[in-house]
C-alpha cells in the first residue's frame, strides 16, 4: 500500500512518470487494493483512465476509449494520423499546460494487462511505457494481471521501457483461516434488528463450521480455488434455500449448493461430444496428471491417443490424423480447450500450447452420464498414472 501510494504521489507532486504491475491470482484483491489506494488519496489524482483487455480488444479500440475518457473527441475531430504513436502523442500534447511541473498528471490502469500483450506489435504498451519514460506529460501506467510470467511475454523493446516494479498479491491463508472467513461471511452483524434470531443464526453457523460434512465441502472448494468469490457464490446458493419454515442453513444445504456450484455448462457440453472427442479429452486429462497441469499441444494429445489405441485396438477405429485434428479444433470452438497465446505463423498448429478447461472431477462425472460410452474408454479415464 505504502509502495504504490509513494509511486503515485511522485507522479502527482513531483511530475515523475512511472510504471508498475500488480500481479496475483484471480480473487486476490488486486483491483480492490488499487481502488482503495485511489479512494483514500483522491486529492492526489486528477485524471484516471481505466482500460480492460476484455473490452479494448485492439489498439484502435483502446485509443478511441482513451480519447473518450480524456474528453478530447472535439480536439481530434476528423484528423488523420500516420501511426498509433502520432495519435497518442497528439492526445497527450493536447493535455499539456506548459512545462513538466504544470502538466496535468495522468494515471492509466490496464486491467487484464496480459491481454494487451497479444495486441499487434504491442503498440499500445510500447507507446504508453515510452511516454512514461520521456520528459513529457507526467504519466503512470499500472497493469493488473494474474500471469506471474507476464514479463516473459513482453517484447524486448517494451520490456526495456518498463520500470520492472512489481507488487505481488497472494492468497496466503490456510484452511483454518478459510474456515474463519466462512464464519465471518455467514454471521449476522451485532446491530441486526432481530437479536434473538441473530444469536440463533450465529450459533448455527458456529456448529456448521465444526461439522465434518461442511468442512469436507469447504476443503474441496479450498483445494480447487482460494478465490473468495467462489466461496461467496457457494454461500449465496445455500442462503437462497432459507425460508420461514426452513430458517437455518444445514450441512445438507451446503452439500446441495456445492453440487449446484460444480455443475457447469462446460461439463454438460461433454454429454453431446463424439466418442473420439471424449477420447481426446481423456488424453488431455492424463497429460495434466502426468505433467502436473503444464500446458500441452495437439501432437502430445495425439500421441497419448495412439498409445490407447495400441493397447485397445479392438474397441475403436484408428482415425487418420487430419480427422483427429478436426475433432480437436471442434473442442477449441466449444471452449473446452484454450490456446495459451494467439496462433502465430511461425508455430505449427500441432505444436501450439493449450490448456484444458475441465478438471478431472468434471470429466469423470460427465462420463458417468455419457450415453453408451465404451467400457474400455471409461476404464482408460479411470486408470492410474502407472497404466501410462
Amino acid at each position: 500500500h505504502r509502495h504504490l501510494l509513494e509511486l503515485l504521489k511522485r507522479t502527482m507532486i513531483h511530475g515523475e512518470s512511472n510504471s508498475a504491475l500488480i500481479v496475483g491470482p484471480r480473487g486476490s484483491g488486486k483491483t480492490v487494493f488499487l481502488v482503495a489506494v485511489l479512494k483514500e488519496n483522491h486529492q492526489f489524482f486528477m485524471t484516471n483512465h481505466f482500460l480492460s483487455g476484455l473490452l479494448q480488444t485492439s489498439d484502435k479500440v483502446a485509443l478511441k476509449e482513451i480519447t473518450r475518457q480524456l474528453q478530447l473527441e472535439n480536439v481530434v475531430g476528423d484528423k488523420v494520423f500516420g501511426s498509433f504513436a502520432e495519435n497518442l502523442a497528439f492526445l497527450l500534447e493536447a493535455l499539456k499546460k506548459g512545462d513538466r511541473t504544470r502538466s496535468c498528471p495522468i494515471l492509466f490502469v490496464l486491467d487484464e494487462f496480459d491481454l494487451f500483450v497479444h495486441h499487434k506489435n504491442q503498440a499500445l504498451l510500447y507507446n504508453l511505457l515510452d511516454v512514461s519514460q520521456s520528459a513529457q506529460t507526467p504519466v503512470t501506467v499500472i497493469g493488473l494481471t494474474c500471469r506471474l510470467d507476464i514479463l516473459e511475454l513482453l517484447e524486448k523493446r517494451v520490456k526495456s521501457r518498463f520500470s520492472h516494479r512489481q507488487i505481488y498479491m497472494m492468497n496466503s491463508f490456510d484452511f483454518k483461516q478459510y474456515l474463519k472467513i466462512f464464519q465471518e461471511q455467514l454471521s449476522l452483524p451485532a446491530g441486526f434488528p432481530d437479536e434473538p434470531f441473530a444469536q440463533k443464526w450465529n450459533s448455527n453457523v458456529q456448529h456448521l463450521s465444526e461439522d465434518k460434512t461442511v468442512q469436507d465441502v469447504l476443503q474441496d472448494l479450498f483445494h480447487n480455488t482460494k478465490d473468495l468469490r467462489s466461496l461467496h457464490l457457494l454461500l449465496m446458493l445455500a442462503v437462497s434455500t432459507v425460508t420461514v419454515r426452513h430458517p437455518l442453513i444445514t450441512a445438507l444445504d451446503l452439500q446441495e449448493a456445492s453440487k449446484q456450484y460444480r455443475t457447469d455448462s462446460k461439463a454438460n457440453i461433454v454429454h453431446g461430444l463424439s466418442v473420439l472427442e471424449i477420447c481426446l479429452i481423456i488424453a488431455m486429462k492424463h497429460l495434466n496428471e502426468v505433467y502436473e497441469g503444464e500446458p500441452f499441444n495437439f501432437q502430445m494429445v495425439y500421441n497419448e491417443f495412439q498409445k490407447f489405441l495400441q493397447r485397445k485396438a479392438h474397441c475403436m477405429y484408428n482415425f487418420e490424423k487430419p480427422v483427429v485434428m478436426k475433432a480437436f479444433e471442434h473442442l477449441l470452438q466449444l471452449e473446452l480447450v484454450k490456446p495459451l497465446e494467439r496462433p502465430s505463423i511461425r508455430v505449427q498448429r500441432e505444436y501450439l500450447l493449450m490448456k484444458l478447461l475441465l478438471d478431472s472431477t468434471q470429466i469423470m462425472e460427465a462420463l458417468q452420464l455419457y450415453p453408451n460410452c465404451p467400457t474400455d474408454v471409461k476404464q482408460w479415464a479411470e486408470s492410474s498414472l502407472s497404466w501410462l
Side-chain angles (χ1 to χ4, degrees):
H1 182 283
R2 189 170 62 249
H3 180 68
L4 181 62
L5 180 60
E6 190 60 38
L7 185 140
L8 295 170
K9 277 184 181 177
R10 284 205 296 270
T11 302
M12 183 61 206
I13 298 167
H14 304 296
E16 290 180 21
S17 291
N18 280 302
S19 56
L21 280 173
I22 302 174
V23 185
R26 295 201 183 282
S28 56
K30 300 181 293 294
T31 307
V32 173
F33 162 63
L34 177 61
V35 170
V37 172
L38 293 176
K39 272 186 179 175
E40 285 173 31
N41 306 277
H42 58 87
Q43 72 273 21
F44 294 113
F45 316 112
M46 293 167 64
T47 322
N48 307 330
H49 304 289
F50 282 78
L51 301 176
S52 170
L54 293 169
L55 299 175
Q56 283 75 50
T57 52
S58 71
D59 287 347
K60 192 177 178 183
V61 176
L63 203 57
K64 275 187 181 177
E65 182 59 17
I66 290 170
T67 308
R68 187 190 70 77
Q69 290 193 33
L70 291 174
Q71 298 175 5
L72 293 174
E73 293 98 331
N74 295 336
V75 179
V76 173
D78 297 322
K79 287 185 175 64
V80 178
F81 298 96
S83 68
F84 179 89
E86 278 179 36
N87 198 338
L88 184 64
F90 176 80
L91 292 176
L92 295 174
E93 189 67 32
L95 290 173
K96 290 181 73 173
K97 299 178 181 177
D99 59 31
R100 184 180 175 83
T101 56
R102 285 185 290 166
S103 292
C104 178
I106 307 169
L107 169 66
F108 285 103
V109 178
L110 305 183
D111 198 11
E112 303 289 348
F113 184 85
D114 47 291
L115 297 182
F116 288 102
V117 168
H118 299 305
H119 289 194
K120 190 181 178 185
N121 300 329
Q122 299 184 0
L124 175 72
L125 296 181
Y126 172 76
N127 285 287
L128 283 179
L129 293 172
D130 191 48
V131 167
S132 76
Q133 279 207 340
S134 61
Q136 297 175 6
T137 306
V139 168
T140 287
V141 180
I142 304 287
L144 304 171
T145 180
C146 57
R147 290 287 296 264
L148 295 175
D149 61 343
I150 187 65
L151 292 183
E152 304 304 316
L153 303 177
L154 297 178
E155 288 180 8
K156 195 178 279 187
R157 63 180 190 142
V158 178
K159 202 185 287 189
S160 68
R161 279 156 179 78
F162 175 55
S163 69
H164 291 263
R165 290 187 184 90
Q166 293 186 74
I167 298 169
Y168 288 96
M169 309 275 293
M170 296 294 174
N171 286 331
S172 55
F173 48 79
D174 58 16
F175 183 66
K176 203 172 178 181
Q177 290 167 303
Y178 190 74
L179 270 177
K180 199 175 177 186
I181 293 167
F182 161 78
Q183 272 185 262
E184 287 169 358
Q185 295 298 308
L186 210 50
S187 298
L188 292 172
F192 191 75
D194 190 342
E195 199 177 319
F197 177 75
Q199 285 177 356
K200 194 186 283 186
W201 176 276
N202 290 346
S203 173
N204 181 58
V205 170
Q206 176 66 38
H207 289 310
L208 283 175
S209 66
E210 293 164 4
D211 188 287
K212 179 72 170 67
T213 309
V214 173
Q215 286 186 5
D216 288 344
V217 167
L218 293 176
Q219 199 130 28
D220 282 347
L221 186 62
F222 178 76
H223 289 314
N224 186 37
T225 173
K226 286 187 176 183
D227 186 345
L228 292 179
R229 290 174 297 188
S230 299
L231 177 64
H232 292 156
L233 178 56
L234 179 77
L235 298 183
M236 185 197 74
L237 292 169
V239 169
S240 65
T241 63
V242 171
T243 61
V244 175
R245 291 184 179 181
H246 179 67
L248 301 174
I249 296 173
T250 64
L252 190 63
D253 293 332
L254 280 161
Q255 266 188 324
E256 288 302 314
S258 178
K259 281 180 191 172
Q260 205 177 331
Y261 170 79
R262 286 186 305 175
T263 304
D264 62 350
S265 56
K266 282 191 171 62
N268 290 334
I269 289 170
V270 177
H271 303 155
L273 297 179
S274 67
V275 176
L276 172 58
E277 288 163 343
I278 287 281
C279 286
L280 294 182
I281 284 178
I282 294 168
M284 289 182 253
K285 170 185 173 287
H286 283 309
L287 286 170
N288 268 347
E289 289 167 354
V290 173
Y291 297 108
E292 297 178 343
E294 288 295 310
F296 50 80
N297 57 42
F298 168 74
Q299 189 60 47
M300 292 165 72
V301 176
Y302 182 72
N303 292 344
E304 210 60 47
F305 178 53
Q306 288 298 309
K307 283 184 199 175
F308 167 64
L309 290 182
Q310 285 163 18
R311 288 177 171 83
K312 303 284 182 181
H314 61 280
C315 84
M316 269 199 78
Y317 177 73
N318 191 357
F319 295 94
E320 295 292 324
K321 194 173 182 179
V323 177
V324 181
M325 172 63 95
K326 200 169 182 182
F328 189 78
E329 284 174 350
H330 185 228
L331 296 177
L332 270 168
Q333 288 167 3
L334 292 172
E335 296 186 355
L336 296 176
V337 186
K338 176 188 172 186
L340 287 188
E341 53 193 39
R342 286 193 178 179
S344 162
I345 301 167
R346 291 171 293 178
V347 181
Q348 287 180 287
R349 285 188 309 169
E350 290 93 328
Y351 301 104
L352 196 67
L353 289 177
M354 304 279 177
K355 183 181 179 183
L356 180 62
L357 300 180
L358 292 164
D359 61 38
S360 293
T361 311
Q362 287 174 309
I363 294 166
M364 295 313 296
E365 284 179 1
L367 277 177
Q368 295 304 317
L369 301 170
Y370 188 83
N372 305 318
C373 183
T375 308
D376 287 331
V377 173
K378 274 189 180 180
Q379 285 175 349
W380 181 37
E382 291 165 359
S383 62
S384 64
L385 299 182
S386 58
W387 185 87
L388 299 168

